[in-house]
């Protein structure tokens, strides 16, 4: 059995021993792109033609995020990998990683289509703000949609636990879509423990994000005044980016160390098979 406590201890060891490399990768691929994206339209006013490029810029930020996670995974998986090697490995494994993520996104969209169909049948309508107007909705259909969403969310949580070592496989075993099946094999017997870790991680990250951004928002409004809403939003966005980057580093290192522990378990069990 894989002991989550042991994985966490190894995670802490990596964070302490390789803090400089991890911080530099996070700064280049997580923090700076997030700061640039946060500045657009807040402290840096954009004319209408230029604002059309914002979605492309955000897509670029997302790609850099995946690159950073791959590089951090390489560093956390192998103590011999330095920053330059990690970024090179991340670049090499970026296309298959994006392909796997795209497949997961498509699967998630397909999974939630029935809920949208039930809401449409109920008479609910989509507003301009992207929310549903339920005034004319038939209760039976909405209840069915709600139940379906709950089941789909639970299935999504289960799948999230089963793909914890996904990027570790993509980086270290040079697999593409086949990494999904391999991930299911490596997490066998550890699903409930990983679900508990994911729930705890979500709670802690959400609380930290809400608390920090609320405090930073109040301080920014007091310091900058009410006549600078764009600057206040940028400061809050900066705080959010820093917290998100730290959480991403922690999560990526933990996932990489779980991958290593799962492979070690597999190797120990091999002679017994």
């Amino acid at each position: 059995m894989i002991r989550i406590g042991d994985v966490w201890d190894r995670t802490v060891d990596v964070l302490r021993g390789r803090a400089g490399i991890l911080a530099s990768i996070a700064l280049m691929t997580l923090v700076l792109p997030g700061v640039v994206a946060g500045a657009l339209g807040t402290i840096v006013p954009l004319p209408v033609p230029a604002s059309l490029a914002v979605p492309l810029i955000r897509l670029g930020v997302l790609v850099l995020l995946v690159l950073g996670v791959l590089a951090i995974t390489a560093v956390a998986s192998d103590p011999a990998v330095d920053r330059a090697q990690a970024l090179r490995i991340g670049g090499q494994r970026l296309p298959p990683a994006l392909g796997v993520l795209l497949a997961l996104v498509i699967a998630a969209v397909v999974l939630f289509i029935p809920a949208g169909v039930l809401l449409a049948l109920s008479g609910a309508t989509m507003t301009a703000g992207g929310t549903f107007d339920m005034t004319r909705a038939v209760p039976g259909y909405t209840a069915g949609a709600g139940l379906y969403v709950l089941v789909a969310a639970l299935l999504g949580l289960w799948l999230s636990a089963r793909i914890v070592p996904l990027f570790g496989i993509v980086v270290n075993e040079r697999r593409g879509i086949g990494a999904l099946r391999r991930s299911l094999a490596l997490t066998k017997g550890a699903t409930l423990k990983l679900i508990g870790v994911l729930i705890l991680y979500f709670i802690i990250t959400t609380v930290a994000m809400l608390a920090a951004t609320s405090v930073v928002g109040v301080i920014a409004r007091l310091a900058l005044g009410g006549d600078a809403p764009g600057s206040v939003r940028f400061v809050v966005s900066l705080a959010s980016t820093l917290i998100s980057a730290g959480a991403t580093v922690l999560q990526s290192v933990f996932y990489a160390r779980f991958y290593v522990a799962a492979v070690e378990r597999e190797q120990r069990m091999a002679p017994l098979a």
Side-chain angles (χ1 to χ4, degrees), residues 55-140:
L56 293 177
I57 294 173
R58 289 176 177 168
L59 179 61
V61 170
L62 178 60
V63 171
L64 285 174
L65 167 64
V66 177
L67 172 65
V69 170
L70 291 170
I72 291 168
T73 300
V75 170
S77 302
D78 186 351
V81 173
D82 59 19
R83 183 182 67 182
Q85 289 175 315
L87 291 172
R88 184 167 61 251
I89 292 171
Q92 292 170 348
R93 305 309 299 154
L94 184 60
L98 291 175
V100 173
L101 289 177
L102 180 60
L104 289 172
V105 170
I106 293 173
V109 171
V110 171
L111 178 63
F112 282 94
I113 284 177
V117 172
L118 287 172
L119 284 174
L121 291 174
S122 73
T125 56
M126 183 76 75
T127 66
T131 59
F132 283 100
D133 181 4
M134 310 295 291
T135 28
R136 299 181 180 178
V138 178

Side-chain angles (χ1 to χ4, degrees), residues 225-241:
D227 56 346
S231 298
V232 172
R233 286 197 302 271
F234 173 73
V235 172
V236 172
S237 173
L238 176 60
S240 177
T241 297

